[in-house]
Amino acid sequence: MKNVLVIKSSILADNSTSNKLVDYLKSKISANITEHDFGVNPLPYYDLNAASGTRGEPQNDAQRAALDLSNKLIGEVNNSDVLVFAVPMYNLGIPAQLKTYIDYLNRAGVTFRYTANGPEGLIKGKKAVVVFAHGGIYKDGPADLTRMYMQTVLNFIGITDVEFVYAEGIGYGPEVAEKAVEVAKVELDRIAKVSL
């Protein structure tokens, strides 16, 4: 049985389309699931203490706590076979709650390293599924910034097997939103069968 790490980040909780789609995917698989909903329970803001504690030798309790948190989050990734992200688009970007998680996750010498040939990701052999919910239609266009960011940041730490699922046009009304969700569910059904 695979270990699946689920990361939610919507501030809309149970009203979130991205969360509902990830819950749908969970209902289609048998796996050991670890889940965080950072929209409901956000991580401490990634500040000077967090940066200092995760980049060097911690000098105070706040820095030690940040390092412990980062180590815990990285350990969860290392213990997982598949990472599943629920990612709504806010003002053309990812939620701040998800960005904070990624800040704790990306650590030089731990999840990536710099080499003579550029950065190298150190997290190997993982798969990621990223489920997007967009109010508008952005896929494959110049404003598809959430995909560009998630693909780049996951590749940066070594996760290169990434699948993207879109539910778009949510803001266009119930009929369009319902169709978008159904299209996304078809993709999630496929992923559940072949990857999970």
Side-chain angles (χ1 to χ4, degrees):
M1 188 173 290
K2 290 188 176 180
N3 296 322
V4 176
L5 177 60
V6 172
I7 303 297
K8 297 178 178 178
S9 56
S10 173
I11 59 174
L12 300 180
D14 292 340
N15 294 318
S16 163
T17 299
S18 61
N19 285 356
K20 288 177 183 178
L21 286 169
V22 166
D23 287 341
Y24 175 82
L25 177 61
K26 286 164 45 185
S27 75
K28 297 294 181 177
I29 63 174
S30 294
N32 299 313
I33 297 175
T34 299
E35 182 172 320
H36 291 291
D37 189 337
F38 294 130
V40 174
N41 298 300
L43 294 168
Y45 189 69
Y46 192 82
D47 59 8
L48 177 60
N49 277 319
S52 300
T54 57
R55 293 179 184 174
E57 189 64 34
Q59 301 297 315
N60 58 45
D61 288 344
Q63 293 179 11
R64 282 185 282 276
L67 179 60
D68 289 345
L69 175 58
S70 176
N71 286 338
K72 175 181 178 290
L73 297 172
I74 292 169
E76 290 175 349
V77 171
N78 286 331
N79 290 330
S80 298
D81 302 300
V82 180
L83 287 75
V84 177
F85 294 89
V87 185
M89 176 187 274
Y90 296 157
N91 301 312
L92 301 180
I94 66 169
Q97 293 82 357
L98 179 56
K99 177 62 167 63
T100 296
Y101 172 72
I102 290 167
D103 287 337
Y104 279 103
L105 199 62
N106 284 26
R107 282 176 48 202
V110 180
T111 57
F112 72 92
R113 66 183 174 189
Y114 293 111
T115 72
N117 297 319
E120 175 191 357
L122 300 177
I123 298 178
K124 306 292 187 184
K126 312 295 180 185
K127 178 179 182 62
V129 178
V130 182
V131 180
F132 295 117
H134 297 163
I137 308 294
Y138 301 104
K139 183 179 179 184
D140 298 328
D144 195 2
L145 301 176
T146 51
R147 176 178 178 150
M148 184 184 305
Y149 178 80
M150 290 301 297
Q151 182 159 10
T152 302
V153 79
L154 289 170
N155 291 175
F156 190 80
I157 60 174
I159 302 172
T160 57
D161 183 0
V162 185
E163 290 204 63
F164 299 98
V165 177
Y166 288 80
E168 293 202 296
I170 304 300
Y172 289 9
E175 186 175 325
V176 176
E178 184 177 336
K179 183 176 179 181
V181 167
E182 291 308 311
V183 168
K185 284 181 176 179
V186 170
E187 276 296 291
L188 293 172
D189 286 339
R190 179 189 60 78
I191 289 169
K193 287 178 183 177
V194 301
S195 301
L196 297 170

